[in-house]
Amino acid sequence: MLWLRVAILGVVLAAVAGAVFKVTAFLHEKDLMIQERDQQILNLNAQVAGLRIDADRLKNSNASLEGEIAKKRDELAQAELEAKKISLADQASSKRLGELERKLNDQERIAKIERLSRSRRADLVLKIVNRSAECELENFFRTDGECKAGKWIPAGDRLVPKAETPAESQAQGEEK
């Protein structure tokens, strides 16, 4: 019976030893899991810190970009204002140029008229101008032609008759 007691005691000790081993193994696994979680937490905290630094950099970058945008807007507004001033100056210059050209043309016309009036053919020019004016007055209400060199020419007609080509003159010569 002693052997039975020793066997029961051995089984109980083996069961207790197995339970202790199992508990320590479980606690060791838990400890490893906790260490892994702690390491993951540290890694995540490092990532969060890096992301916060990146976020701060982006905020600073955005602020500087907004400042540059505002600066560019101001430069654009200033450039548009300068363009308007230049455009106004250009328009005024164009207007003055037109006036100067008109005055120059008027002076040239006056000089030409004076030369014509002093020339030998002044009376001839005066007769042609008078004939043209008379023709315009006489045919003022007519719209089916125009005055050319002091003569009324109906629409579609020519002042000078059309010259015959050599082929037409040969054809007329053969008909006669």
Side-chain angles (χ1 to χ4, degrees):
M1 292 269 286
L2 188 58
W3 63 271
L4 190 60
R5 281 187 187 170
V6 172
I8 292 177
L9 186 62
V11 171
V12 170
L13 281 176
V16 169
V20 168
F21 178 76
K22 198 69 159 154
V23 168
T24 55
F26 177 76
L27 291 176
H28 185 65
E29 277 183 38
K30 279 284 194 183
D31 189 38
L32 287 176
M33 290 173 65
I34 289 172
Q35 286 177 357
E36 285 178 13
R37 274 196 229 144
D38 288 343
Q39 187 61 39
Q40 286 178 348
I41 289 171
L42 290 175
N43 290 342
L44 290 174
N45 284 338
Q47 286 179 351
V48 167
L51 291 174
R52 284 184 182 153
I53 291 171
D54 288 346
D56 289 341
R57 286 182 188 160
L58 288 174
K59 285 179 186 176
N60 292 338
S61 176
N62 284 344
S64 68
L65 288 174
E66 287 174 1
E68 287 180 27
I69 288 172
K71 183 178 173 183
K72 294 292 181 186
R73 281 186 191 140
D74 293 341
E75 289 175 1
L76 178 64
Q78 186 176 4
E80 286 175 348
L81 182 63
E82 289 176 12
K84 285 181 183 178
K85 287 179 183 178
I86 290 172
S87 175
L88 290 175
D90 186 41
Q91 288 174 356
S93 176
S94 295
K95 186 177 179 182
R96 280 183 283 175
L97 177 65
E99 289 173 2
L100 289 174
E101 287 176 348
R102 185 183 50 81
K103 287 179 182 178
L104 180 63
N105 289 338
D106 289 347
Q107 288 175 353
E108 289 174 356
R109 266 184 82 212
I110 290 170
K112 187 176 181 181
I113 290 171
E114 286 178 6
R115 276 194 315 268
L116 282 174
S117 65
R118 290 185 203 143
S119 74
R120 294 182 199 164
R121 298 184 197 158
D123 58 338
L124 180 62
V125 171
L126 187 60
K127 285 179 186 176
I128 291 173
V129 169
N130 283 340
R131 270 193 298 169
S132 292
E134 280 180 26
C135 180
E136 291 288 339
L137 287 173
E138 289 172 1
N139 299 299
F140 184 73
F141 293 105
R142 294 177 73 180
T143 59
D144 59 338
E146 60 183 323
C147 285
K148 288 187 180 178
K151 294 183 181 178
W152 180 256
I153 307 296
D157 286 351
R158 296 177 59 159
L159 179 62
V160 179
K162 185 176 178 183
E164 293 181 4
T165 61
E168 290 176 351
S169 55
Q170 283 180 2
Q172 287 179 355
E174 290 175 5
E175 290 176 4
K176 291 182 181 181

